[in-house]
Amino acid sequence: MKRTSNILIVAALATGAFLAACNRGEHNRKPGRIYMPDMYESRAYEFYSARLAGLKPVDGTVKRGELLPYHLKEADTAQANLVKNPLTITPDDLKEGERLFNIYCGVCHGTALDGNGPLYKGGEGPYSAAPANLVAGAKAGYSEGRLFHVMTYGYNMMGSYASQLDRAQRWKIAAYIKSKQPGAAQPAAAAAPAKDSAAAK
């Protein structure tokens, strides 16, 4: 009998402790002390700020991976003739230049660079004025710097392409045009590794 009463007492105590614990957890929502509260409750971070998004870059700074700014003004055409291409042009760059030329320039100048693109069509297209022939005549003597200058500021009826093409893209197009002009030297392809003479035998 005594043993049964002891079991009932222990069961009652265990049930009481269990109910007290449950009751405490239901009403006490505070976790107690927090280790490093600044990490537990992180500060709100605004990912977009209209004020910061509207700010212009600091004068004289250059974005990482971007070419140096082009400082010549629209009227500086004589100086533009002397500007050298800052890129080391590879065959892949010429292919990219051709691709960009066909997208942005070929509609007027034609994919053959002869000034007979779809908008002119030998005088039958919607444009009555013939675009410049880039492989013959006066424009064939333009340097890469002058071609870049024209794409940057526009020339006669042609508008500027500085908003559509970044500086590197304009230089690649200029290199591609120059490579198609008479007497242009083609960039050398990457040299293939020399074969071992012993392996060749």
Side-chain angles (χ1 to χ4, degrees), residues 143-155:
S143 67
E144 287 183 48
R146 181 67 182 273
L147 293 168
F148 178 88
H149 191 81
V150 169
M151 284 183 272
T152 302
Y153 291 109
Y155 187 75

Side-chain angles (χ1 to χ4, degrees), residues 74 149-165 170:
E74 186 174 359
H149 191 81
V150 169
M151 284 183 272
T152 302
Y153 291 109
Y155 187 75
N156 291 337
M157 297 297 291
M158 174 184 156
S160 167
Y161 278 82
S163 62
Q164 294 98 322
L165 298 162
R170 279 177 272 152

Side-chain angles (χ1 to χ4, degrees), residues 43-190:
R43 297 175 184 174
Y45 181 76
E46 185 62 50
F47 287 91
Y48 176 79
S49 169
R51 184 185 69 80
L52 294 177
L55 292 176
K56 292 184 177 179
V58 178
D59 289 338
T61 60
V62 179
K63 186 172 74 171
R64 184 175 291 153
E66 184 70 42
L67 295 178
L68 291 175
Y70 187 67
H71 293 296
L72 294 185
K73 305 298 181 193
E74 186 174 359
D76 298 336
T77 53
Q79 289 178 310
N81 289 323
L82 305 175
V83 175
K84 302 294 182 191
N85 192 333
L87 303 177
T88 302
I89 298 298
T90 64
D92 288 339
D93 291 331
L94 287 181
K95 285 181 184 176
E96 178 64 6
E98 179 181 13
R99 185 185 75 82
L100 293 169
F101 180 91
N102 290 336
I103 293 171
Y104 293 97
C105 315
V107 68
C108 290
H109 296 283
T111 54
L113 289 77
D114 57 359
N116 194 22
L119 291 180
Y120 182 62
K121 284 185 189 174
E124 297 177 2
Y127 284 5
S128 57
N133 186 329
L134 301 174
V135 290
K139 306 297 187 290
Y142 276 13
S143 67
E144 287 183 48
R146 181 67 182 273
L147 293 168
F148 178 88
H149 191 81
V150 169
M151 284 183 272
T152 302
Y153 291 109
Y155 187 75
N156 291 337
M157 297 297 291
M158 174 184 156
S160 167
Y161 278 82
S163 62
Q164 294 98 322
L165 298 162
D166 63 31
R167 285 190 283 272
Q169 290 173 325
R170 279 177 272 152
W171 278 118
K172 288 175 185 179
I173 292 174
Y176 167 70
I177 294 170
K178 199 66 190 168
S179 73
K180 294 298 182 184
Q181 292 175 342
Q186 300 295 323

